[in-house]
């Protein structure tokens, strides 16, 4: 017989719970000490570890050869560094140039205690892959001072002005590194990508997570209807939607109607939109209360940079704004944007070529 020994440190409070450093060892009959492995020889459970100042309990449950050796230890949950500003930052995978870090807010480097060493706002050549999530906890006195000092700053912004002001004046700023799911949906492509991730076979962000339920407003609407000839594969279909055509790998909003013979792929169709019959909708974002006529084809042809703003309308997406009308039998290329009540005269030869922007006068996307 041997002896199991548990060494457990006190732990600093962190969002989600204070996790101590734990070492579990086993001394056998010959006085030889073996370090046990979590997940193989034992598993850990924490109780009362989510409040600074509390006494938490760590339970070690033996597994495998050590099954039946259960022990408990207590430890103190201590308060973290007293900071004037705390910011959440995830690791991100940068892409080259403006399509990467330029859209991701400030990038931070910090020391072993989490104190920010540098702050950069959307640098062209980032020094790390840590990006701000834009979630901050401020000391009120520090925030008030920064806001008053920058009151005359045009377009006052936390990332461009408030945080750099606090850093310049040596206010203690600490970073909390976040390692869970996070997505910046500040561009149309990242918004589309985040929606497509929801319908992965094994979604990284699971709407049906048993231990983290998501509750939202639920209107009283008719149930979804899929006609006998309708097809739905790997898609989310909201209440009130009527599917007479085929939907693949798409998000369909409330009260959307998709006509017979229409095929929708890799698209986001928002509430109260009506798509006619015999359409082909590819990689398209269609906003609310839009009408698409019969025989419309979107996302057709080669990719051409958008003539209005290639940094916004890109990655082959077609974007159709809210309350827009698209007439029958038109073909729409990639990297295009349409907004307003359009008619046949807006589409020479019934075509909107790739890279074009069709925004009716007096209306804007």
């Amino acid at each position: 017989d041997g002896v199991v020994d548990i060494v457990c440190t006190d732990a600093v409070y962190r969002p989600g719970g204070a996790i101590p450093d734990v070492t579990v060892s086993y001394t056998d009959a010959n006085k030889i000490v073996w370090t046990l492995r979590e997940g193989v020889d034992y598993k850990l459970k924490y109780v009362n570890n989510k409040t600074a100042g509390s006494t938490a309990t760590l339970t070690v449950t033996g597994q495998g050869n050590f099954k039946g050796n259960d022990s408990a230890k207590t430890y103190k949950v201590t308060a973290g560094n007293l900071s004037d500003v705390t910011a959440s930052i995830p690791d991100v995978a940068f892409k080259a140039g403006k399509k990467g870090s330029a859209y991701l807010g400030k990038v931070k480097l910090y020391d072993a205690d989490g104190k920010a060493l540098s702050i950069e706002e959307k640098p062209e050549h980032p020094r790390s892959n840590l990006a701000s999530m834009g979630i901050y906890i401020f000391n009120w006195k520090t925030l008030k001072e920064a806001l008053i000092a920058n009151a005359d700053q045009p377009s006052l912004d936390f990332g461009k002005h408030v945080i750099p002001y606090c850093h310049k004046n040596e206010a203690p700023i600490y970073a909390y590194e976040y390692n869970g799911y996070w997505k910046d949906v500040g561009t149309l492509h990242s918004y589309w990508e985040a929606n497509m991730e929801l319908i992965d076979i094994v979604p990284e962000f699971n709407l049906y997570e048993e231990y983290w339920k998501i509750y939202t407003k639920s209107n009283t609407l008719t149930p979804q209807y899929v006609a006998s000839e309708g097809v739905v594969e790997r898609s989310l279909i909201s209440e009130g939607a009527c599917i007479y055509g085929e939907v693949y790998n798409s998000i369909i909003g409330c009260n959307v109607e998709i006509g017979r013979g229409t095929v929708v792929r890799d698209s986001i169709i928002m509430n109260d939109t009506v798509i006619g019959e015999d359409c082909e909708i590819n990689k398209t974002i269609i906003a609310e209360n839009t009408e698409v006529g019969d025989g419309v084809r979107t996302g057709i042809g080669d990719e051409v940079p958008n003539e209005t703003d290639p940094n916004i309308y890109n990655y082959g997406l077609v974007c159709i704004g809210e309350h827009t009308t698209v007439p029958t039998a038109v073909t729409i290329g990639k990297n295009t944007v349409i907004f307003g009540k359009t008619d046949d005269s807006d589409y020479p030869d019934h075509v909107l070529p790739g890279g074009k922007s069709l925004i009716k006068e007096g209306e804007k996307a």
Side-chain angles (χ1 to χ4, degrees), residues 51-344:
T51 303
S54 65
T55 299
T57 301
L58 164 73
T59 301
V60 180
T61 302
Q63 297 183 145
N65 294 332
F66 300 93
K67 189 173 183 180
N69 288 283
D70 299 348
S71 302
K73 283 275 188 178
T74 60
Y75 63 94
K76 290 289 185 181
V77 178
T78 61
N81 292 307
L82 180 62
S83 63
D84 285 352
V85 184
T86 300
S88 295
I89 56 174
D91 287 330
V92 296
F94 283 142
K95 300 174 184 176
K98 291 184 178 180
K99 293 179 182 177
S101 63
Y103 288 116
L104 289 172
K106 69 199 70 56
V107 178
K108 301 175 179 242
L109 300 176
Y110 57 93
D111 63 19
D113 294 324
K115 188 171 183 178
L117 300 177
S118 70
I119 299 174
E120 301 172 283
E121 176 65 18
K122 299 180 181 177
E124 184 176 354
H125 302 291
R127 290 185 288 155
S128 82
N129 66 334
L130 297 175
S132 172
M133 297 173 69
I135 301 172
Y136 309 112
I137 301 173
F138 277 90
N139 173 298
W140 165 236
K141 181 179 178 181
T142 300
L143 176 59
K144 181 179 179 181
E145 176 190 329
L147 292 175
I148 292 173
N150 290 274
D152 296 329
Q153 176 68 51
S155 303
L156 182 61
D157 180 82
F158 273 98
K160 292 180 180 178
H161 308 114
V162 175
I163 301 294
Y165 173 87
C166 295
H167 190 255
K168 180 180 178 182
N169 287 275
E170 299 183 345
I173 301 176
Y174 286 85
Y176 167 69
E177 187 169 342
Y178 176 74
N179 295 308
Y181 178 85
W182 177 80
K183 193 82 172 181
D184 184 331
V185 292
T187 67
L188 287 168
H189 177 257
S190 61
Y191 170 78
W192 174 85
E193 194 174 58
N195 275 269
M196 294 300 103
E197 287 173 355
L198 295 177
I199 51 180
D200 282 345
I201 295 175
V202 182
E204 187 175 357
F205 180 61
N206 188 0
L207 293 175
Y208 309 101
E209 173 60 59
E210 181 179 358
Y211 301 106
W212 185 33
K213 296 183 182 298
I214 298 175
Y215 297 94
T216 187
K217 179 183 178 183
S218 179
N219 294 322
T220 303
L221 300 172
T222 56
Q224 304 93 329
Y225 173 73
V226 180
S228 58
E229 67 272 28
V231 177
V232 175
E233 290 185 7
R234 208 170 84 168
S235 299
L236 291 178
I237 311 295
S238 301
E239 290 89 343
C242 294
I243 312 298
Y244 297 95
E246 302 176 22
V247 178
Y248 303 95
N249 202 55
S250 296
I251 308 287
I252 307 300
C254 297
N255 292 327
V256 168
E257 182 175 329
I258 296 175
R260 287 179 172 82
T262 288
V263 179
V264 178
R265 298 182 187 275
D266 306 318
S267 296
I268 303 168
I269 315 298
M270 299 186 191
N271 297 354
D272 300 302
T273 285
V274 177
I275 300 177
E277 298 184 351
D278 300 316
C279 296
E280 182 183 341
I281 308 298
N282 299 293
K283 201 175 181 182
T284 300
I285 301 175
I286 303 180
E288 298 89 343
N289 295 287
T290 288
E291 295 183 15
V292 177
D294 296 342
V296 171
R297 302 166 67 224
T298 69
I300 304 300
D302 296 329
E303 284 197 39
V304 177
N306 183 265
E307 62 184 5
T308 303
D309 197 332
N311 291 325
I312 294 179
Y313 306 111
N314 48 31
Y315 289 97
L317 281 168
V318 176
C319 300
I320 303 176
E322 69 269 17
H323 300 285
T324 291
T325 300
V326 179
T328 61
V330 298
T331 297
I332 300 167
K334 299 175 181 178
N335 296 333
T336 51
V337 55
I338 303 172
F339 190 86
K341 305 293 185 182
T342 68
D343 56 38
D344 289 336

